[in-house]
Amino acid sequence: ELNLLNNIIKNSNLKFSIHGSMSVNLLDEDYLNDHIEVLRKEIEVCSALNINILVTHFGHTPIEVSKNAQKYEDLIKIQKEEYFKMAEIAKKNGVTLCIENIFPYTNLHFTALPSEVSKNINEINHPNARTTIDFNHAYINCNLRKKELISEVNYNKSSEACPTCSTECKKIDERINGRDLSKIKPKEVPHILK
């Protein structure tokens, strides 16, 4: 199947990224090794297809775990250590991990808000571990946690973008022209994102 996919994409002028499995969860201590193995395989697939962006996801926990501050911090520390190791593997394969915010799958789950995701990925401090925001996931999580979406997506406090995303962000920034995001009218969005 990789050969078939490679034949399709190698003749395209488009740049591709791979959106990894939403089930990869580096906060799941019971199955952590399995999650790491899936992520490693996704990196290998990117490399085999000469794709340099792999979108993966920040972890989630049962809500009871998130209420135990020490336990949650311990899991976050493990996740950061594992993402650093995975970023090293990604670097050797010419891949950048773009770690995306996720939403709690049920009201019995907890996951970090976008600002927390960005903070944690910045703390990994690796050029092949970057933050990606999914606005739909952010909207769901912010509503559940009664937070304002706009306060969670301050792109000026995000981790450094990968080169492809950086180019697109610069184009969007030029179109925004220094305005506060809350001042942008909905009818302007298609022009800004074109």
Side-chain angles (χ1 to χ4, degrees), residues 24-182:
V24 168
N25 179 10
L26 300 189
L27 293 181
D28 181 357
E29 64 184 332
D30 293 337
Y31 298 99
L32 181 60
N33 291 330
D34 295 330
H35 294 291
I36 290 168
E37 188 57 29
V38 170
L39 183 53
R40 184 184 318 273
K41 293 294 183 191
E42 290 174 344
I43 292 168
E44 291 172 6
V45 167
C46 285
S47 182
L49 295 173
N50 200 29
I51 293 174
N52 63 0
I53 300 287
L54 172 61
V55 177
T56 186
H57 298 89
F58 200 83
H60 56 90
T61 66
I63 200 132
E64 322 76 78
V65 172
S66 72
K67 291 179 180 177
N68 179 335
Q70 187 58 57
K71 177 67 172 171
Y72 185 70
E73 275 306 309
D74 291 346
L75 290 173
I76 290 291
K77 183 178 182 227
I78 291 167
Q79 177 177 246
K80 287 192 280 192
E81 290 167 354
E82 294 302 329
Y83 265 131
F84 186 89
K85 293 175 193 172
M86 290 291 100
E88 282 293 297
I89 292 168
K91 184 177 180 178
K92 290 175 185 168
N93 284 277
V95 175
T96 298
L97 302 177
C98 293
I99 303 162
E100 180 181 293
N101 59 301
I102 194 136
F103 59 94
Y105 294 108
T106 73
N107 61 357
L108 301 176
H109 285 88
F110 175 87
T111 191
L113 291 164
S115 60
E116 297 168 291
V117 173
S118 181
K119 173 186 173 290
N120 280 279
I121 304 312
N122 280 331
E123 290 171 359
I124 292 171
N125 194 26
H126 195 288
N128 291 70
R130 298 289 177 227
T131 307
T132 298
I133 187 163
D134 182 307
F135 286 93
N136 188 47
H137 295 172
Y139 179 79
I140 293 167
N141 202 10
C142 286
N143 276 341
L144 290 170
R145 304 232 339 243
K146 299 182 180 9
K147 300 285 184 179
E148 285 190 43
L149 175 65
I150 201 69
S151 68
E152 286 297 315
V153 294
N154 184 344
Y155 66 96
N156 292 317
K157 294 182 181 174
S158 297
S159 65
E160 184 179 325
C162 65
T164 304
C165 295
S166 180
T167 301
E168 290 305 311
C169 286
K170 285 177 186 169
K171 290 178 188 175
I172 291 169
D173 200 31
E174 287 171 8
R175 293 182 201 120
I176 291 173
N177 195 21
R179 292 182 291 162
D180 187 293
L181 293 179
S182 64

